[in-house]
Amino acid sequence: MPGPPLYSGHKTQSRGVMPDEAWCRTSRDGGVAVLDIGGNWTLPHAGQLERIVVDIERQAAPSARIQLTELKSLDTVGAWLLQRLISRLEHQGARIAITDAAPEHRVLLQRMMLPPERISLARPYVPGLRALTERVGRNTLEIAQEGYALVNFLGITTVALGRVVLRPQRLRFVALASHVERVGLNALPIVGLLSFLIGVVLSYQGADQLRAFGAEIYSVNLLGVSVLREIGVLLTAILVAGRSGSAFTAEIGTMKVNEEIDAMKTMGLDVMDVLVLPRLLAVVIALPLLTFFADLSALVGGAIMSWVVLGISLSQFLEQLQSFVNETTFWVGFIKAPFFAGLIGLVGCYEGLKVEGGAESVGRMTTKAVVESIFLVIVADAAFSIMFSWLGY
């Protein structure tokens, strides 16, 4: 004989329940509680479903069978309540079996299943030395991959530049002139001012150190060599990297975020010809001219400081400078400018084309472009210094 009903707090369909209402008829089959669920377990009946589920949860059974033969419709609300009922009965130790479920109802119930356990957000403990080793190795691999990708982009740029040499009409001269103005002409004030101040500082510090030996006049030699060989071109390259290289990344990155680059490709335009080459050639043209202007500004600043502090007249300054500094000193520094410019333009355009997502990616890639440009410029400067020293210049 079947035992007393597990749940009998609501009317059943046979007692006058409307066919579209949600209901649950309960009984026992030996030691198994049978839950016969029917009607529409949907959002409009959420209040009634909640009461049904709560009443059933209060009663325990070692095992239960849920029959969905007469279940007409089921949405996420009903599935969630039914799944909550199943989870809590299992938590009480009951074994649950679901029978006669329609395929679409079974799929929805599976999707509403709660995870078996909470996933901890705490990071697993890693020993300090192991974490440091992993971080160094990961960063090393990232740097290697970044270098490989940058060399690959250099190859693509070289091919595009070769196409322009063969067919000059591919180059957009209006864009080139505009970028030369922005990179070169508009940067003259800041480059001139900083170079002038650097010349003042070098002249003053050199004279202050050489005064102990009575050799203040040689501060002119120190100023000429340091400015013409190293500081003039290096300072200008760093300023251009922070001012124009970052602008290249931000402009191209914003265009990519706004899908303007995709629109260019759809119209059949070559991104290298339209965006990369005008900027790259502009910085290659502008940086040597800015370097020459920076050298002159630094020498003028040093001459003024030498006259004010040491009493060295302009004619004496020029005579001492000419006696020690020759054309080789000037060209050793000046020849670096196109190479530094190529690095700055290449990195700025490359990082701009790597932008993905939104404004956060634009800012991150812009910062990365400035750091990489300055790093590569300093590395290249060190390589040039070693090479010129080995060649005897």
Side-chain angles (χ1 to χ4, degrees):
M1 294 294 292
L6 175 66
Y7 167 68
S8 58
H10 291 269
K11 297 180 180 179
T12 63
Q13 186 174 350
S14 60
R15 297 180 180 177
V17 177
M18 298 299 295
D20 61 342
E21 291 184 0
W23 52 269
C24 177
R25 186 168 50 242
T26 62
S27 59
R28 287 188 179 271
D29 183 7
V32 178
V34 179
L35 306 179
D36 192 7
I37 292 175
N40 298 320
W41 282 54
T42 55
L43 179 60
H45 308 93
Q48 180 184 2
L49 294 174
E50 177 70 20
R51 291 190 298 270
I52 293 175
V53 170
V54 170
D55 288 343
I56 296 177
E57 289 174 354
R58 293 173 180 171
Q59 305 185 41
S63 60
R65 184 173 69 249
I66 300 177
Q67 299 181 161
L68 306 179
T69 307
E70 301 185 55
L71 182 62
K72 294 183 178 180
S73 59
L74 181 71
D75 63 5
T76 55
V77 174
W80 181 80
L81 287 170
L82 186 56
Q83 188 59 49
R84 192 189 75 178
L85 171 64
I86 294 173
S87 299
R88 293 188 177 179
L89 291 178
E90 289 178 342
H91 184 70
Q92 295 174 3
R95 297 184 299 275
I96 307 298
I98 300 177
T99 61
D100 301 330
E104 61 273 15
H105 297 162
R106 187 175 294 276
V107 170
L108 185 57
L109 285 172
Q110 290 175 350
R111 291 183 177 180
M112 298 304 296
M113 288 182 63
L114 298 176
E117 59 182 7
R118 290 183 177 271
I119 300 176
S120 175
L121 298 179
R123 294 183 180 180
Y125 171 74
V126 179
L129 182 60
R130 176 183 171 186
L132 177 62
T133 305
E134 291 179 352
R135 187 161 57 250
V136 171
R138 189 183 309 112
N139 292 338
T140 303
L141 290 177
E142 290 178 358
I143 292 173
Q145 293 171 356
E146 186 76 11
Y148 176 81
L150 190 59
V151 172
N152 181 58
F153 185 72
L154 173 61
I156 297 174
T157 305
T158 304
V159 172
L161 188 60
R163 291 198 304 263
V164 168
V165 172
L166 296 177
R167 299 177 59 188
Q169 63 271 20
R170 294 177 65 96
L171 182 62
R172 300 178 179 270
F173 290 96
V174 175
L176 175 61
S178 174
H179 288 300
V180 169
E181 178 185 4
R182 293 166 56 188
V183 175
L185 186 61
N186 295 345
L188 287 177
I190 184 65
V191 171
L193 176 61
L194 291 181
S195 300
F196 179 85
L197 295 176
I198 289 294
V200 170
V201 171
L202 285 177
S203 180
Y204 180 80
Q205 292 295 333
D208 190 51
Q209 296 299 320
L210 293 173
R211 185 177 291 113
F213 305 97
E216 296 94 330
I217 189 65
Y218 292 107
S219 63
V220 178
N221 302 5
L222 175 63
L223 175 68
V225 172
S226 59
V227 167
L228 295 179
R229 289 183 67 102
E230 297 292 339
I231 295 180
V233 63
L234 188 60
L235 175 65
T236 306
I238 292 174
L239 287 174
V240 171
R243 183 180 179 275
S244 300
S246 60
F248 292 167
T249 304
E251 290 168 358
I252 296 176
T254 303
M255 294 178 69
K256 190 170 183 183
V257 169
N258 295 335
E259 300 181 354
E260 296 177 36
I261 294 181
D262 294 335
M264 288 182 182
K265 294 179 181 179
T266 303
M267 292 186 293
L269 299 176
D270 192 335
V271 175
M272 299 298 295
D273 293 343
V274 176
L275 299 179
V276 177
L277 289 185
R279 289 172 168 82
L280 180 61
L281 293 177
V283 72
V284 169
I285 294 172
L287 186 57
L289 302 178
L290 287 174
T291 299
F292 181 76
F293 180 70
D295 290 344
L296 290 180
S297 300
L299 292 177
V300 169
I304 293 175
M305 181 55 64
S306 298
W307 174 61
V308 172
V309 176
L310 304 178
I312 300 175
S313 64
L314 180 59
S315 59
Q316 290 176 317
F317 181 89
L318 293 177
E319 183 180 353
Q320 181 69 20
L321 185 66
Q322 187 177 6
S323 65
F324 188 78
V325 176
N326 52 28
E327 294 180 357
T328 302
T329 305
F330 169 76
W331 286 109
V332 164
F334 189 79
I335 201 173
K336 302 176 186 178
F339 294 94
F340 292 173
L343 291 174
I344 294 169
L346 196 71
V347 172
C349 296
Y350 168 71
E351 296 296 343
L353 292 173
K354 280 181 58 180
V355 170
E356 295 179 354
E360 180 184 0
S361 179
V362 174
R364 185 172 63 253
M365 291 303 174
T366 300
T367 303
K368 187 176 179 182
V370 174
V371 174
E372 287 184 357
S373 299
I374 296 175
F375 173 78
L376 291 177
V377 164
I378 295 176
V379 170
D381 184 64
F384 272 112
S385 298
I386 295 172
M387 183 186 68
F388 287 136
S389 176
W390 182 71
L391 293 175
Y393 291 107

